[in-house]
DNA sequence: CGTGAGCTTGAATAGCTTCAAAGCCGGTGG
DNA sequence: CCACCGGCTTTGAAGCTATTCAAGCTCACG
């Protein structure tokens, strides 16, 4: 009988990824089929249309999930962070392209083995169901943003969401590092890079945010105003 | 010991709704907590923000699921048909507004009882997971449409999807009844009612579709062209 | 110090929306 | 059976927002 490997017991996401639904001794089953792999930033993890061989947990790093039109227009449909689950355990063909935004450490599972393991561990399956439901609700909120909000509202909403994720309970001015480039913000919000840039300089000019140490690092000076811009009534 | 009621055994969606994952004898558990209710077209089933008390299966009819901004802009994030599951079993508060588009017959379950029943019937839970994953993939494809496609592509794609749903394996000209109004198409595609109207007359003028017997009934004359308009390369 | 990728800024344009009015169609009542 | 009403839809003209195209800028890195 095999033991739970060290890489699981002291894993950074032991208590936030799907494995959090498992007792230590159950981890044997998952760890037996999982292996770690690091993808450098910019590298593609899965191409849309390829055979769908893997699922994964993110240990460190950020992934973007993208859909595109045949003529090359791109839409980022999701950004995934440490602890998040990656993939579609039931599709034969990968529906979307997945790319590492920064260097990313994944705990990979062959899709079919993962399905079997899930069958034997209902608590993990239940947790995956809850998370998938939550992802769906989030995607639905984003449908509203893409379909009905204008550029300013999209940008403000994006920054608010970032704050909530990075510093859920901060009071004063919040400092944030953007995980993605201007071009990726554009692909996330259904805008062009130029529109993103103009909206951000607008916010800076109005004193709502300030940028520092390069244009990836910024500070929210007036959160109330930002919230009002994101959701005007 | 109670028996499975007639309304379940000869239910129209016995083999397509979540119940299809259950043996006849298991249905006792579900039928014990479910009750049928008919909502007339136009009536709201759940308001976003209300306590999330119910889930349901659709027996007949069509529902729309909408999200809106505080100032009243609306986005249809999903259309649901007979056999589809409705609701979010894990949220305390309903995240979205659900409205009957046509007269709709629902098989309603109190949310908490439904959760318990699901715990005891893993096959049903598994089916719900599969369907939720599929809904997520569909929502992600719609994010691409809303974020990156123009009005003509949105309309063409919508009509193609309708054809695939209504007549998956038809060859010649397909006849379709639109389940929704122009205004609802606009809210589904992130457009205005006027733009939807203009695009549709454009398609008619170009001989791609024809409208008959009122503007809810149409015929696809040139599917190849419609597909090309939906996904140009 | 030079180079290049990523970002910003400006001007012109296109596409969708807004505002306004007229048309169509189904249902109701005379 | 026909006239009228009201909601939905179509059409037109004007306006505005975001895109496109084109420079120039910044900054990290060799």
């Amino acid at each position: 009988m095999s033991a739970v490997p060290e890489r699981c017991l002291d894993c950074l996401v032991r208590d936030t990824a799907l494995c959090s639904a498992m007792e230590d001794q159950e981890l044997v089953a998952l760890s037996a089929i999982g292996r770690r792999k690091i993808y450098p930033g910019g590298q593609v993890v899965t191409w849309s249309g390829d055979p769908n061989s893997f699922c994964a947990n993110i240990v460190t790093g950020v992934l973007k999930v993208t859909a595109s039109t045949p003529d090359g227009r791109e839409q980022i449909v999701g950004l995934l962070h440490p602890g998040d689950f990656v993939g579609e355990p039931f599709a034969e063909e990968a529906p979307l392209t997945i790319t590492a935004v920064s260097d990313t450490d994944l705990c990979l599972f062959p899709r079919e083995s993962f399905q079997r393991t899930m069958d034997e561990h209902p608590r993990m399956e239940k947790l995956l169901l809850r998370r998938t439901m939550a992802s769906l609700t989030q995607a639905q909120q984003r449908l509203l943003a893409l379909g009905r909000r204008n550029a300013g509202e999209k940008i403000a909403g994006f920054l608010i969401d970032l704050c909530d994720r990075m510093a859920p309970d901060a009071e004063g001015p919040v400092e944030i590092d953007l995980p993605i480039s201007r071009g990726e913000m554009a692909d996330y919000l259904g805008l062009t890079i130029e529109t993103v840039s103009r909206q951000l300089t607008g916010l800076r000019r109005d004193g709502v945010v300030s940028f520092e140490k390069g244009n990836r690092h910024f500070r929210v000076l007036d959160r109330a105003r930002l919230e009002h811009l994101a959701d005007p009534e």
Side-chain angles (χ1 to χ4, degrees), chain A:
Chain A
M1 165 179 170
S2 50
V4 180
E6 192 116 354
R7 71 161 196 280
C8 274
L9 293 177
D10 59 8
C11 176
L12 280 170
V13 294
R14 170 72 181 90
D15 300 318
T16 52
L18 279 190
C19 346
S20 65
M22 286 182 154
E23 306 296 340
D24 277 351
Q25 70 262 20
E26 293 179 276
L27 274 184
V28 175
L30 247 197
S31 65
I33 63 168
R35 67 189 172 84
R36 294 279 277 273
K37 182 165 177 192
I38 294 179
Y39 290 82
Q43 190 159 319
V44 170
V45 178
T46 318
W47 287 101
S48 161
D50 278 359
N52 183 22
S53 324
F54 291 97
C55 304
N57 288 321
I58 303 185
V59 181
T60 61
V62 177
L63 296 181
K64 64 177 175 184
V65 185
T66 57
S68 23
T69 59
D71 63 349
R73 284 167 285 170
E74 192 160 298
Q75 175 68 46
I76 297 181
V77 301
L79 287 172
L80 301 175
H81 303 267
D84 286 348
F85 178 76
V86 187
E88 217 287 31
F90 306 111
E92 297 295 321
E93 189 177 291
L96 300 160
T97 297
I98 300 174
T99 310
V101 170
S102 54
D103 293 353
T104 299
D105 190 352
L106 292 182
C107 185
L108 287 166
F109 310 105
R111 184 172 69 84
E112 275 142 9
S113 321
F114 180 79
Q115 262 192 67
R116 279 191 297 276
T117 308
M118 205 163 45
D119 288 345
E120 290 153 16
H121 297 271
R123 285 183 44 219
M124 189 175 79
E125 185 169 73
K126 250 183 251 301
L127 182 56
L128 181 58
L129 175 57
R130 289 182 103 100
R131 292 201 176 189
T132 308
M133 284 273 175
S135 299
L136 181 58
T137 301
Q138 204 189 351
Q140 288 166 331
Q141 292 304 320
R142 265 165 61 57
L143 285 172
L144 174 63
L146 291 185
R148 290 306 189 194
R149 292 196 200 278
N150 61 29
E153 293 165 351
K154 287 175 176 178
I155 294 281
F158 176 76
L159 296 181
I160 291 281
D161 288 350
L162 258 188
C163 289
D164 288 349
R165 159 169 289 280
M166 300 297 187
D169 31 48
E171 283 297 314
V174 184
E175 286 191 45
I176 301 283
D177 269 307
L178 287 174
I180 55 178
S181 68
R182 296 291 186 273
E184 285 165 332
M185 284 181 67
D187 286 344
Y188 188 80
L189 298 171
L191 299 170
T192 59
I193 197 172
E194 294 94 333
T195 300
V196 170
S197 181
R198 280 187 253 269
Q199 291 294 333
L200 287 174
T201 64
L203 289 177
R204 188 182 42 187
R205 198 181 40 234
D206 299 350
V208 180
V209 303
S210 65
F211 284 82
E212 307 159 27
K213 305 182 220 160
N215 37 30
R216 285 283 188 108
H217 190 85
F218 73 100
R219 185 194 298 261
V220 176
L221 304 172
D222 189 343
R223 188 191 226 264
R225 189 120 67 88
L226 196 56
E227 274 169 9
H228 187 74
L229 291 170
D231 239 346
E233 51 221 282

